[in-house]
């Protein structure tokens, strides 16, 4: 059996009638004839199976208690409908948070600068952040669990749309007394005889480092995150390749490290945003892209 619901027009008429207590005045407010108003309320009474108006005579009516209760509910429904159809620029429009995934070698170094920028320059753009490995991030964006992802290339992003954000150069982290600590820049051959500390294989930075230094995975000594690697480097357990995005934060640890630029062809990773080509709200992602690019062109240490 089909269920019939009141129309928004009928709810609007009911609210107007309860507010005015008069068919003529309610009709004027709704820009319809009194006959149209009266007929619509009668149809609503029939649909709901309740009496909304006691018709004393042609001029006098009594609004029932049930009508007042239903009108209060109708006002809430109409207000919600107004919010749904509000213009995109309206500050009253309810907008879901943008679900953003970031890889662990980007999140702790980009977010502390990105979130204040979003708050200042685009306060309606709410972010819901999470950390995932590159493979998990791509899968989450493809499935719709995330709206966008921020990762480092090269990495297989499947059929996702890729938007370049900035180039993130590589640096070599060394203990302050290291033999290479005073040189202006380094190459892969400079590092060949030193123990290279790396993140676990789930981090794409490990693959980037192996390719950059022309090493096999047999040379890997794994750590779980960049902060762990820095502690090992500071204690003379080896050296490590780190992205420039992280240098400012890692330098602030004040644990006796120096960071030397890595001078090799392809000596950077490309930080990029990925999203589904079919996603209907790409304009919000574009706003995020603009903010991140602005950070990356700021003073050194801002974002790259």
């Amino acid at each position: 059996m089909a269920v019939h619901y009141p129309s928004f027009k009928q709810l609007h008429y009911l609210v107007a009638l309860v507010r005015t207590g008069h068919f003529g005045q309610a009709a004027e407010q709704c820009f319809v004839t009194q006959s149209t108003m009266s007929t619509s309320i009668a149809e609503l009474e029939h649909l709901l199976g309740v009496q909304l108006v006691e018709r004393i005579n042609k001029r006098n009516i009594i609004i029932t208690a049930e009508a007042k209760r239903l009108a209060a509910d109708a006002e809430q429904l109409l207000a919600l409908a107004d919010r749904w159809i509000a213009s995109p620029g309206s500050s009253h429009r309810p907008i879901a948070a943008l679900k953003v995934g970031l890889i662990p070698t980007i999140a702790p170094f980009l977010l502390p600068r990105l979130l204040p920028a979003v708050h200042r320059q685009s306060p309606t753009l709410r972010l819901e952040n999470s950390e995932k490995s590159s493979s998990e991030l791509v899968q989450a964006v493809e499935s719709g669990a995330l709206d966008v992802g921020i990762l480092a290339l090269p990495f297989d992003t499947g059929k996702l749309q890729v938007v370049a954000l900035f180039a993130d150069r590589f640096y070599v982290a060394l203990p302050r007394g290291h033999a290479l600590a005073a040189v202006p820049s380094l190459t892969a051959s400079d590092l060949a005889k030193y123990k290279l500390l790396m993140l676990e294989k789930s981090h794409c930075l490990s693959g980037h480092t192996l390719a950059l230094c022309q090493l096999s995975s047999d040379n890997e000594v794994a750590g779980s995150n960049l902060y762990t690697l820095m502690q090992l480097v500071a204690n003379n357990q080896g050296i490590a390749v780190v992205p420039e995005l992280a240098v400012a934060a890692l330098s602030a640890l004040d644990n006796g490290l120096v960071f030397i630029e890595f001078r090799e062809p392809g000596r950077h990773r490309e930080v990029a945003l990925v999203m589904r080509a079919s996603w209907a709200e790409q304009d919000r992602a574009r706003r995020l892209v603009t903010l991140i690019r602005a950070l990356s062109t700021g003073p050194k240490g801002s974002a790259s």
Side-chain angles (χ1 to χ4, degrees):
M1 179 179 178
V3 178
H4 298 283
Y5 295 95
S7 67
F8 280 105
K9 184 179 293 184
Q10 288 174 317
L11 297 180
H12 183 57
Y13 290 170
L14 174 61
V15 169
L17 183 60
V18 170
R19 285 177 177 173
T20 62
H22 190 278
F23 273 113
Q25 293 177 16
E28 288 180 7
Q29 284 190 6
C30 297
F31 303 101
V32 296
T33 65
Q34 184 169 331
S35 175
T36 297
M37 173 65 68
S38 180
T39 300
S40 182
I41 293 298
E43 291 174 349
L44 186 58
E45 287 179 315
H46 178 72
L47 178 63
L48 299 177
V50 298
Q51 184 180 25
L52 301 173
V53 179
E54 289 186 38
R55 295 163 176 80
I56 307 302
N57 52 49
K58 289 185 177 181
R59 293 183 176 273
N60 299 303
I61 62 172
I62 296 175
I63 306 298
T64 66
E66 186 68 8
K68 294 176 182 178
R69 184 187 68 80
L70 292 173
D73 291 341
E75 285 189 83
Q76 294 183 32
L77 290 172
L78 292 169
L80 181 59
D82 286 341
R83 291 169 60 194
W84 285 349
I85 63 174
S87 63
S90 171
S91 61
H92 300 293
R93 184 188 181 199
I95 301 176
L98 184 67
K99 294 178 290 185
V100 183
L102 306 95
I103 60 174
T105 58
I106 291 179
F109 311 111
L110 179 61
L111 288 177
R113 289 178 282 273
L114 176 60
L115 295 181
V118 170
H119 181 72
R120 289 192 308 269
Q121 301 176 43
S122 190
T124 60
L125 184 62
R126 296 189 299 113
L127 304 185
E128 183 180 298
N129 309 300
S130 61
E131 283 191 29
K132 296 182 182 295
S133 69
S134 298
S135 57
E136 291 172 338
L137 189 150
V138 168
Q139 292 173 5
V141 175
E142 288 177 336
S143 69
L146 288 176
D147 297 321
V148 301
I150 298 175
L151 44 62
L153 305 177
F155 190 82
D156 184 5
T157 58
K159 296 182 179 180
L160 294 177
Q161 185 173 335
V162 178
V163 181
L165 296 175
F166 58 89
D168 195 15
R169 294 179 295 176
F170 287 116
Y171 280 67
V172 180
L174 306 161
R176 189 162 289 148
H178 195 277
L180 300 177
V183 300
S185 61
L186 295 167
T187 64
S189 60
D190 294 326
L191 308 185
K193 62 180 181 179
Y194 297 102
K195 184 178 180 181
L196 188 64
L197 304 177
M198 296 174 56
L199 294 176
E200 296 168 346
K201 292 181 179 180
S202 59
H203 295 272
C204 60
L205 182 59
S206 296
H208 296 162
T209 300
L210 290 173
L212 194 68
C213 299
Q214 302 168 18
L215 300 172
S216 70
S217 59
D218 295 336
N219 299 88
E220 179 180 352
V221 177
S224 61
N225 58 67
L226 286 176
Y227 289 101
T228 299
L229 290 192
M230 293 309 96
Q231 293 300 320
L232 294 173
V233 172
N235 283 279
N236 296 295
Q237 298 302 304
I239 62 178
V241 174
V242 301
E244 186 181 17
L245 178 64
V247 168
L250 298 177
S251 298
L253 297 175
D254 193 25
N255 53 7
L257 296 179
V258 294
F259 297 87
I260 309 298
E261 184 177 357
F262 196 85
R263 191 183 68 233
E264 282 284 347
R267 63 186 185 279
H268 69 273
R269 62 179 186 172
E270 191 73 31
V271 176
L273 179 145
V274 294
M275 57 185 168
R276 297 178 303 283
S278 59
W279 186 44
E281 298 185 53
Q282 293 188 17
D283 59 317
R284 292 201 289 157
R286 300 291 178 184
R287 289 161 60 192
L288 185 62
V289 166
T290 299
L291 289 170
I292 295 175
R293 285 176 175 170
L295 287 175
S296 70
T297 57
K300 191 170 182 179
S302 292
S304 73

